[in-house]
Amino acid sequence: MTKHDERLLALGEETPMVLFAVDNAGVITRLGGKGLETLGVNPAETVGRSAWELYASHTEALALLRRALEGETFTATAEVSGAIFEVHFAPNFDAGGNRIGVVGVALDVANSRRAESALRDSEARNAAILQSALDAIVTMDREGKIIEFNPAAEHLFGYTRAEALGKFLGDLIIPARLRQRHREGLARYLATGEGPILGKRIEMPALRADGTEFPAELTVSPVSGDGPPMFTGFVRDITDRKYAEELSRLLAAIVESSDDAIVGKTLDGTIISWNQGAERIYGYTAEEAIGRPISLLAPPDRQNEMVEVLERIGRGERVDHYETERVRRDGQKIHVSLTISPVKDPAGRITGASAISRDITERTEARAKVEHLAFHDALTGLPNRLLFNDRLELAVAQAHRNERPLAVFFLDLDRFKFINDSLGHPVGDELLRVVADRVIRCVREGDTVARLGGDEFLVLLPGVAAEQDAAVVGRKILEAIRLPVQIQERELSVTMSIGIALYPADGLDAESLVSNADRAMYRAKVQGRDNCQFCSRTVDAGARRPVSPEGRRK
């Protein structure tokens, strides 16, 4: 119960009046006052029940209550249970300024004594309402002069009641540019009884004593009676609300103008908001996307990922800069960076998620190219020495753990320098690309072929079953390289020398295996080129051509 209600109830216990309050549905929520003795009404049996039910036969009184529930503030006479009452109805507001029903005071005016008491009580009640109202209440007469100015008005406008009474309302609290319109509206009402703003909520600027303006919500109602017309205005400062509305509009504009996709979704993954950035990145319009599951953006192999992300959001977690793949409306896959945050209601419950997506396809592809160049040979696209060493060290560790052998091949083209110098570097480069392709075709998918530089290559065969298996691969490579090569209308024939080192017989680490394979390859050169040699001994791994007199490595 508010302090205002307590004061009125106390007053009602001392004077023959009935104070009542009903909610917006007409249910009685307060009932008190000495006047209940006249009616023989027990509050305990009445509070919580509908006035429409209790007083169904009192159509006149219910009609007045209906007017009050529609927002009118007025005083009228009604007969209830044989007694004549003067009833004043006024809206009832909660602390937040929301109308929660009607509060009223009924005075028994059966005789003059009671009528005089009712008048005094009505004045006291009006004063109590004015004093306790949260909204500024300003009443003016037909001339536009202020005749009532409650404490809330004093606080809002910066004038004391004494300073305001008798002053023209337009000159005091209405900005100068709007005063003529105010005077014209008052004159029109006095002449015709019509006013376009009466009984309506309107927003307008208002003026404080210090000359500053603020946005206000105003409701003006004529006060009916036997005397000249009066008007009561209920004024509320809506600065905070207008700021919040402007901030909301600004945020909405920022969201709409963002280059990033900003998508709102429920906890079950249903899309509920979709900005222009999302249209640009994903290709769906807002009409096409809203109401559909967020999973429509995920490729088939990423569906479980979407479920996991939503589960994390449901637990209140935030997902920051998560890089993944998504699918556009046209079926094209794109790389995106996602930041997903839980969305909470005023009670702190998680009701959904807000996802910000940035298209990083170009960045991802550029990064992949840089990484590829760092670990691959620019000419052939094969892994370079750095990547080969990483894979070899891993393969050695696995071979040691699993007690399985592996083989490392060191390959070198025979007399490549002669071809490169005599036919030119473009021919030499094309020959190296052909050689790289042929070597790749001779090994398994899980094996590694790398280019060291020049005409030197390395091959890693993890898990090779036996020395004979390595020899078979060596023969395949030799045979493939011997096949004629057609380059720029020239048919070239080349051969290759191969050295093979086996783990663990020829080395227990990557450096030893490569070094020993290199030595074995040198032996193949000495043995006449176009053959394979193992590190530990000579093995007939391929038919050899005649050894040249010089026996040089190249």
Side-chain angles (χ1 to χ4, degrees):
M1 180 182 294
T2 66
K3 292 182 178 180
H4 167 59
D5 290 341
E6 292 172 353
R7 286 197 296 268
L8 288 180
L9 282 175
L11 185 63
E13 294 298 328
E14 299 170 0
T15 58
M17 68 168 64
V18 176
L19 181 135
F20 62 92
V22 299
D23 63 17
N24 289 323
V27 174
I28 299 171
T29 58
R30 302 275 193 282
L31 191 63
K34 204 169 183 179
L36 293 177
E37 298 174 2
T38 302
L39 298 175
V41 174
N42 182 355
E45 298 174 352
T46 306
V47 173
R49 299 178 63 184
S50 171
W52 314 112
E53 172 192 346
L54 291 171
Y55 303 105
S57 61
H58 297 80
T59 56
E60 180 183 358
L62 293 178
L64 297 175
L65 178 61
R66 185 175 290 105
R67 284 178 56 192
L69 287 172
E70 291 174 352
E72 289 190 44
T73 300
F74 61 95
T75 301
T77 301
E79 180 179 354
V80 180
S81 300
I84 305 299
F85 288 88
E86 181 183 87
V87 187
H88 183 86
F89 296 88
N92 192 16
F93 297 89
D94 62 14
N98 302 305
R99 194 181 76 184
I100 59 174
V102 170
V103 64
V105 176
L107 301 176
D108 186 351
V109 293
N111 52 52
S112 58
R113 181 183 63 80
R114 299 180 96 178
E116 292 172 1
S117 176
L119 179 60
R120 288 193 300 272
D121 291 339
S122 176
E123 292 174 349
R125 184 252 318 139
N126 284 336
I129 292 174
L130 285 172
Q131 292 294 320
S132 61
L134 296 175
D135 287 341
I137 301 177
V138 182
T139 301
M140 70 175 186
D141 60 18
R142 61 175 296 147
E143 296 179 359
K145 292 182 178 180
I146 297 172
I147 58 176
E148 189 52 73
F149 205 75
N150 77 334
E154 291 181 313
H155 176 73
L156 180 60
F157 292 106
Y159 296 99
T160 66
R161 184 172 184 273
E163 290 172 332
L165 294 182
K167 301 292 193 309
F168 284 101
L169 181 141
D171 296 339
L172 205 67
I173 65 175
I174 296 178
R177 65 184 181 280
L178 302 177
R179 289 170 187 168
Q180 182 60 31
R181 188 187 307 174
H182 163 71
R183 288 190 287 266
E184 291 172 355
L186 177 60
R188 181 167 57 251
Y189 178 81
L190 294 175
T192 65
E194 297 179 355
I197 70 169
L198 295 178
K200 299 178 181 178
R201 289 184 188 274
I202 64 169
E203 295 181 6
M204 62 172 290
L207 188 66
R208 291 192 176 93
D210 61 6
T212 60
E213 292 187 14
F214 65 94
E217 184 179 80
L218 170 67
T219 302
V220 179
S221 300
V223 180
S224 58
D226 296 333
M230 297 183 297
F231 307 88
T232 296
F234 298 85
V235 187
R236 179 175 300 172
D237 184 351
I238 58 172
T239 300
D240 291 342
R241 191 180 82 191
K242 298 299 287 185
Y243 175 78
E245 290 174 354
E246 182 61 28
L247 181 60
S248 179
R249 284 193 292 269
L250 177 61
L251 290 175
I254 292 173
V255 168
E256 275 305 303
S257 61
S258 174
D259 289 335
D260 294 336
I262 302 178
V263 179
K265 53 195 172 186
T266 61
L267 285 179
D268 65 0
T270 301
I271 298 170
I272 56 176
S273 65
W274 187 265
N275 74 334
Q276 292 181 3
E279 292 188 11
R280 181 183 58 82
I281 291 175
Y282 293 117
Y284 294 93
T285 66
E287 292 75 14
E288 292 172 328
I290 292 176
R292 299 180 67 181
I294 194 68
S295 58
L296 92 158
L297 302 179
D301 59 343
R302 301 271 184 172
Q303 291 294 324
N304 290 337
E305 171 190 287
M306 303 284 281
V307 174
E308 292 172 3
V309 168
L310 287 172
E311 288 176 352
R312 290 178 60 184
I313 294 299
R315 295 193 296 268
E317 298 180 26
R318 175 186 167 98
V319 179
D320 282 314
H321 306 297
Y322 179 70
E323 295 189 6
T324 185
E325 285 185 338
R326 290 294 178 259
V327 180
R328 287 176 43 85
R329 189 177 186 275
D330 58 10
Q332 176 189 353
K333 282 188 178 182
I334 58 173
H335 296 275
V336 297
S337 174
L338 293 175
T339 295
I340 308 175
S341 304
V343 173
K344 299 180 180 180
D345 65 12
R349 293 184 295 267
I350 298 172
T351 58
S354 175
I356 301 176
S357 308
R358 177 165 295 177
D359 186 348
I360 59 170
T361 302
E362 291 185 4
R363 188 181 79 189
T364 302
E365 292 176 350
R367 183 174 61 194
K369 289 179 181 178
V370 171
E371 291 176 353
H372 183 84
L373 290 174
F375 294 100
H376 291 79
D377 172 53
L379 178 64
T380 62
L382 293 176
N384 60 15
R385 178 65 177 264
L386 184 63
L387 181 55
F388 182 85
N389 283 344
D390 286 342
R391 293 184 181 180
L392 178 55
E393 288 177 359
L394 178 61
V396 169
Q398 292 174 339
H400 176 73
R401 183 168 55 251
N402 300 326
E403 297 183 352
R404 298 189 62 187
L406 63 80
V408 175
F409 288 30
F410 201 112
L411 289 67
D412 188 282
L413 276 176
D414 298 327
R415 299 186 176 89
F416 175 73
K417 185 176 184 304
F418 174 77
I419 296 174
N420 207 34
D421 291 345
S422 61
L423 300 181
H425 291 287
V427 173
D429 289 346
E430 182 61 26
L431 176 60
L432 290 173
R433 283 191 285 265
V434 172
V435 168
D437 181 66
R438 291 183 177 182
V439 175
I440 290 173
R441 294 174 184 274
C442 293
V443 299
R444 301 165 300 183
E445 184 177 354
D447 300 331
T448 298
V449 178
R451 182 186 176 214
L452 291 183
D455 59 345
E456 295 179 335
F457 297 84
L458 286 170
V459 176
L460 169 62
L461 303 179
V464 66
E467 184 178 280
Q468 291 77 5
D469 297 320
V472 169
V473 175
R475 293 189 189 100
K476 286 178 61 177
I477 294 174
L478 293 174
E479 292 169 0
I481 299 302
R482 290 175 191 145
L483 296 174
V485 180
Q486 193 76 24
I487 299 177
Q488 295 182 1
E489 300 181 353
R490 292 175 179 271
E491 184 174 282
L492 304 179
S493 294
V494 293
T495 60
M496 178 170 279
S497 298
I498 302 174
I500 304 174
L502 300 175
Y503 173 90
D506 301 324
L508 298 177
D509 57 67
E511 183 178 355
S512 298
L513 289 169
V514 172
S515 178
N516 288 332
D518 184 21
R519 290 191 183 96
M521 186 276 298
Y522 183 76
R523 185 184 305 125
K525 292 282 187 183
V526 172
Q527 293 294 326
R529 303 181 179 88
D530 190 22
N531 72 98
C532 265
Q533 296 294 321
F534 281 87
C535 173
S536 55
R537 59 194 174 281
T538 301
V539 175
D540 183 16
R544 294 192 300 275
R545 295 185 180 182
V547 181
S548 64
E550 67 275 17
R552 292 193 302 270
R553 178 166 175 170
K554 293 295 181 183

